[in-house]
Amino acid sequence: MVKRVLITGASRGIGKACAQMLSHDNWKVTVCASQQSPELDSLIEELSRSNAFSSALVFDIADPTASRESIEKDIDKNGAYWAVISNAGIIRDGAFPALSLKAWNDVINVDLNGFFNVVQPCVMPMISLRSGGRILAISSVSGIMGNRGQVNYSAAKAGLIGATKALAVELGKRAITVNCIAPGFIDTEMTKLDERVEKSAMDLIPLRRKGKPEEVASLVRFLLSDEASYITRQVISINGGMV
């Protein structure tokens, strides 16, 4: 069986690294982004050269109707996904007393509600394959330990942990594993900080460096493999020793 994987937030950072790495393992990769962009076009071209590209979906994961319609249309055309990587996320940082309702809602709608909007339409088709499956949510170390200025982000990422643990119980009898990855300070556009703040962050990391998107992608690759078929309901943090 040719295995299909859906990756949200695939045009850059961790999502892009996952798409590139899984393409070398002969997965049929469906990439998802919130908008068409040169980065997405470049990734599609790269995947197409290796015959790993399956399809590209462009929609806002915070929009439940757009998410469902895009995903169901792709499944009808190309078949169910054997794996889903819910990776897309945003930050709207700010001290809680000054945090706007919009900043709260935007992060919750993308980082937490987006998990439901993307994964829920994929589950029954995945079950219908009758060959197991994998669901991965990319949370954050902020969802485990909390982080100053990120009450909204920490709340959303902690919610993902609870959601994956509960879903793992529901889908275990179908041999579908559901796990959560909680990256720490990974070198992506989302974690660009000024020099002073970055130095303070490094003091919290025993390994004294940022992680690489490819290092997170390697963990994703393992959790999608046959060797990880007995791992479910887990939160695996990759953070250089922060916690």
Side-chain angles (χ1 to χ4, degrees):
M1 182 185 79
V2 176
K3 293 180 178 178
R4 300 187 68 220
V5 57
L6 171 65
I7 307 171
T8 66
S11 62
R12 62 187 65 184
I14 292 171
K16 179 180 179 180
C18 290
Q20 291 171 321
M21 192 168 289
L22 293 175
S23 72
H24 293 295
D25 294 343
N26 298 315
W27 286 82
K28 280 294 186 179
V29 180
T30 292
V31 293
C32 170
S34 60
Q35 59 186 2
Q36 203 72 39
S37 67
E39 292 85 358
L40 180 61
D41 292 339
S42 175
L43 178 61
I44 292 170
E45 181 181 353
E46 178 184 340
L47 297 179
S48 297
R49 287 197 298 269
S50 65
N51 294 318
F53 177 65
S54 178
S55 53
L57 309 180
V58 178
F59 62 87
D60 179 2
I61 67 169
D63 183 335
T65 301
S67 300
R68 179 172 290 277
E69 288 179 351
S70 295
I71 289 168
E72 288 182 344
K73 182 177 180 181
D74 186 60
I75 290 174
D76 287 344
K77 180 179 179 181
N78 298 302
Y81 311 114
W82 191 83
V84 178
I85 303 169
S86 180
N87 164 71
I90 62 170
I91 55 172
R92 298 289 185 268
D93 293 352
F96 187 71
L99 194 68
S100 70
L101 179 61
K102 185 177 189 307
W104 175 271
N105 285 336
D106 284 351
V107 170
I108 296 297
N109 284 334
V110 172
D111 293 33
L112 181 56
N113 294 344
F115 172 83
F116 174 86
N117 296 339
V118 168
V119 174
Q120 208 263 355
C122 299
V123 168
M124 287 310 299
M126 187 183 293
I127 290 172
S128 72
L129 291 174
R130 298 181 182 277
S131 60
R134 302 282 189 272
I135 295 172
L136 288 178
I138 306 299
S139 179
S140 168
V141 70
S142 294
I144 297 173
M145 59 182 283
N147 196 23
R148 181 188 297 273
Q150 290 192 323
V151 175
N152 51 358
Y153 186 71
S154 296
K157 293 301 189 178
L160 276 181
I161 291 172
T164 56
K165 283 181 173 290
L167 187 57
V169 176
E170 292 191 15
L171 297 180
K173 64 184 178 182
R174 307 286 187 175
I176 296 172
T177 68
V178 188
N179 290 293
C180 208
I181 294 175
F185 197 19
I186 307 300
D187 191 10
T188 67
E189 286 188 18
M190 189 181 287
T191 62
K192 297 299 182 185
L193 301 172
D194 66 48
E195 187 175 339
R196 180 182 60 82
V197 176
E198 184 164 320
K199 183 179 182 304
S200 297
M202 288 300 109
D203 291 339
L204 300 174
I205 304 172
L207 289 182
R208 291 294 190 271
R209 67 172 177 86
K210 293 182 180 180
K212 301 173 184 177
E214 294 77 17
E215 290 174 310
V216 181
S218 292
L219 178 55
V220 169
R221 168 195 261 169
F222 171 68
L223 289 174
L224 265 57
S225 71
D226 291 340
E227 289 78 7
S229 61
Y230 199 55
I231 300 173
T232 194
R233 208 184 182 190
Q234 302 304 304
V235 181
I236 303 172
S237 194
I238 176 168
N239 59 46
M242 286 179 71
V243 292

